[in-house]
Amino acid sequence: MKNWQKFASAAVIGAMALAGCSSSSSSSETTGSTAGGESTAAGDASKGSVYYLNFKPEADAAWQEMAKKYSEEKGIDVKVVTAASGNYETTLMSEMGKSGAPTLFQVNGPVGLKNWEDYAYNLYGTPVFDQLTSDDYALYIGDKADNDVAAIAYAIESYGIIVNTELLSKAGYTVDDIKSFEDLKKVADDIQSRKDELGFAAFTSAGMDGSSDWRFKTHLANMPLYFEYQDDGVADKEELAGTYLPNYRQIFDLYITDSTTPGADLASKTADDSEREFTSGQAVFFQNGSWEYTNLIDNGMTDEQITMIPIYMGAGDEANQGLTTGTENYWVVNKEASADDIAATLEFMDWLVTSEEGTAFMADDLGLTIPFKDAKPSPNVFVQEDIKLTQDGKTPVSWNFTTMPSEEWKNGLGSALTAYAADPTDENWDKVKAAFVDNWKTEKELAQ
């Protein structure tokens, strides 16, 4: 077990011991599983409360408003705390060591779950589990037949390159002109060469501060992983060949050269800077995801102005490539919470994915596609574009960054990319390759 896990475990045990000393027998009811593995919450939801540790800073305002409304209407206190960008795991570790730990938190997939599976309440047979459209959206501990469900996905998302179609048209192009990396580079280079005349650049700033660098050290880094995994017919690897790092370099080069901002200034550029450049019409292209839709609309853009195209990097069958679609959004219920709080949390989750108001919040306010039977179709144009491309026979690129070995690996890659952006030499790219390939092997070994 890693040192921080030992600390978190000790802290939680200590908090539980303190709680046990002061609790009455009625509040110390336990939870368990039926013979079939189904979890049972012995608590009373009306006496419990919910503490959700939210992963997405861009959705904080919506969650806060919804939590307040739910609390007022249901009489059950819901607290939402949002971790700072890039600090979710450390925030979770800190919060789990407190007596009032989160009752509901997130993991990004199987790798993230390994750190927290000891705290995962078994969701098998709960109402929210039974609402899943497929149990493929559940993360199991051990064999599936054991019916031990530690986490369930609550959102399916897509990312790619968001396009301001209005500006693209002013430059003399449409998205039909971009079907490959070669096409994208030709269009972007032309726009950048005429930026003074046009009044806008090709790409928004590829900000490398902590609020933005995940777009490149994680989401963009998914692309070379995906194609290497495809070549090898695997879903994970202990060691990487780095076969598609030259492709990774050429798309990143395009981002940092055909940009609103010189590469040397990207270290301090934020996610807000990039978003502001896009919504104010300073750039045509903006790498981001379907979760960004609400922010763009709230900032005055219209459905007619925006669409999303795949991240082309000159690899694979680009003519049949779709958006990058998957999830790193898995809910986990803290089994160490009181029985009443677990019951309240399960009721809250069920409300989010079954009630008219809850599903409207997930679809309209958060812009999410949720994998539950009563889901409301999302008005999100990026979600609709993913559906259209898939129906047209395009193959979505899967999310493989959930197999990345650690935050340390991501941060090392981010630092190397930042240095390369400021001084894009072969020598600095060699450091990116080392961070990608060598550090992968090291961190995978440490994770064993």
Side-chain angles (χ1 to χ4, degrees), residues 51 102 146 273 344:
Y51 171 8
D146 293 337
D273 289 332

Side-chain angles (χ1 to χ4, degrees), residues 47-66:
K47 297 177 181 178
S49 62
V50 180
Y51 171 8
Y52 176 40
L53 186 60
N54 172 42
F55 175 73
K56 290 182 174 292
E58 66 271 19
D60 179 66
W63 275 110
Q64 297 298 343
E65 183 178 346
M66 185 280 304

